[in-house]
Amino acid sequence: MCDVARVAWFPWKGYLNRVRGRSAPATYFSRWTAPQSNDFQVGMLLEVVDQASGSERRVVLARVADVISVRLLLSLVGCPDTHPGQVVDIDSPDIHPIGWSRSQGREMGIPVGACEELLSDFAKFRNEEEDKADWAPPSLFSYAGQIKPRFIELPRNLVSNSDDFLPGQRLEVVMDDKSPKRVRVARVDQVFPDEVTVLWDGDPHEQRHLKKFRKDSRLLHPVGFCYSMNHRLLPPRGMPVDSFNWAEYLRSIGAKAAPPYLFKKRVCSLCIRLSDLGAFGLGFLELLSNRDEIGGG
């Protein structure tokens, strides 16, 4: 939202020669380290503590307006263009990936100075903004307090142990790349050497919405992905969003989940815990996930 002006490159060497000055040694600065890589990009969304909220430490939605070395200039979503925004370091404990507030049981707040015309239904406005922009990946947040992965409990007989995708296996899929935040319950229809076709579960016009994906597509996720990332999963038509239960659903239709190790380079390391295998079963799945790089970037 903020209108950001980039600062032109400053010719330090010529300036120091002209004023006969010297630069302070880097070792004098207690926080000095070798320059970090900054992979945040302009336009990404994240959550940040609104500095203007003081001791309340209100967490609000923000957009990366500019990337300045190892710092970010953030514009607070919902504020007018005249709002100054705020600057944070990329390792600041005050910035979080989308979903952090929900994982902590906290409500997202309205930034101080938000546009008055948005106040009556700010939550709806914020959700619309989240759907329109890319989210900063959790891997960019280097501090220790990232989202804690959660696991859904599934009996072993509800998870396939196949070496490849099979028709009928269930998974979670972004079916429309124009709406990347809308993840749906889906099933594998056909399997090809490098691709699969997928259908929405419960879609009365499913053949019209049949989609083909590469097997390594980042739009394909294992059962439990949304739960582990505190993200809303869209269940089959007619089923409640808030109370959808994967185990009950798989039992009711006599289906199995695609095994998590088929999904390579996922954001979450593992989404499923086999409830009837205890620690041994969880360790076995972790071994498989490491082998297949499920937790990769």
Side-chain angles (χ1 to χ4, degrees):
M1 292 243 177
C2 294
D3 189 13
V4 179
R6 289 183 176 271
V7 178
W9 177 77
F10 184 76
W12 266 110
K13 186 175 181 180
Y15 175 74
L16 291 173
N17 287 337
R18 181 158 56 85
V19 300
R20 297 181 181 180
R22 293 187 301 169
S23 61
T27 53
Y28 285 12
F29 298 86
S30 60
R31 291 195 62 190
W32 168 259
T33 58
Q36 300 167 270
S37 63
N38 186 348
D39 295 321
F40 285 92
Q41 297 178 10
V42 171
M44 284 181 171
L45 292 179
L46 48 81
E47 297 180 11
V48 65
V49 174
D50 184 358
Q51 295 170 353
S53 66
S55 60
E56 183 183 347
R57 293 187 61 78
R58 189 183 305 174
V59 179
V60 302
L61 185 66
R63 180 179 288 105
V64 177
D66 204 358
V67 178
I68 313 160
S69 181
V70 294
R71 293 182 176 84
L72 305 174
L73 175 59
L74 303 178
S75 61
L76 306 188
V77 173
C79 290
D81 292 341
T82 53
H83 191 279
Q86 60 190 61
V87 177
V88 295
D89 291 344
I90 61 172
D91 60 353
S92 168
D94 286 344
I95 58 173
H96 311 281
I98 299 295
W100 179 85
S101 291
R102 286 192 298 271
S103 74
Q104 302 296 310
R106 296 182 57 167
E107 292 286 337
M108 290 282 285
I110 299 175
V112 176
C115 299
E116 289 188 12
E117 62 268 25
L118 300 175
L119 298 181
S120 60
D121 200 357
F122 197 86
K124 179 181 178 181
F125 167 75
R126 183 170 54 232
N127 290 336
E128 290 173 348
E129 291 298 305
E130 286 185 3
D131 283 342
K132 290 191 294 188
D134 290 332
W135 299 359
S139 58
L140 298 185
F141 298 81
S142 59
Y143 66 96
Q146 292 194 23
I147 294 176
K148 249 186 180 178
R150 305 185 299 172
F151 302 92
I152 63 169
E153 300 280 351
L154 283 185
R156 176 173 49 179
N157 63 350
L158 294 182
V159 182
S160 296
N161 62 355
S162 57
D163 293 329
D164 197 357
F165 289 101
L166 296 175
Q169 288 178 339
R170 263 52 183 186
L171 64 165
E172 299 178 9
V173 181
V174 178
M175 294 294 287
D176 183 0
D177 52 13
K178 294 180 181 178
S179 301
K181 311 303 183 296
R182 298 175 66 82
V183 186
R184 296 180 178 272
V185 171
R187 72 180 185 275
V188 176
D189 181 54
Q190 290 183 286
V191 181
F192 303 96
D194 299 312
E195 298 172 314
V196 293
T197 56
V198 175
L199 295 167
W200 300 354
D201 264 16
D203 181 8
H205 308 291
E206 59 180 23
Q207 290 300 324
R208 189 187 307 170
H209 296 140
L210 180 75
K211 292 204 68 173
K212 183 178 285 187
F213 299 88
R214 287 187 54 85
K215 290 179 180 178
D216 60 357
S217 170
R218 291 179 179 271
L219 301 180
L220 302 180
H221 304 289
V223 163
F225 169 81
C226 285
Y227 181 81
S228 73
M229 299 302 292
N230 295 283
H231 185 67
R232 177 174 293 184
L233 174 68
L234 299 177
R237 185 185 295 269
M239 300 191 72
V241 174
D242 296 332
S243 59
F244 177 76
N245 182 291
W246 261 116
E248 292 177 2
Y249 179 65
L250 291 172
R251 286 194 192 97
S252 69
I253 61 175
K256 292 187 177 184
Y261 50 80
L262 296 181
F263 299 83
K264 299 183 177 181
K265 301 184 182 301
R266 285 290 157 255
V267 174
C268 62
S269 58
L270 190 63
C271 305
I272 299 173
R273 189 200 307 269
L274 297 188
S275 57
D276 57 348
L277 288 186
F280 172 78
L282 183 57
F284 175 69
L285 277 184
E286 287 175 342
L287 176 64
L288 291 175
S289 70
N290 290 335
R291 180 193 72 185
D292 286 291
E293 301 176 319
I294 293 176

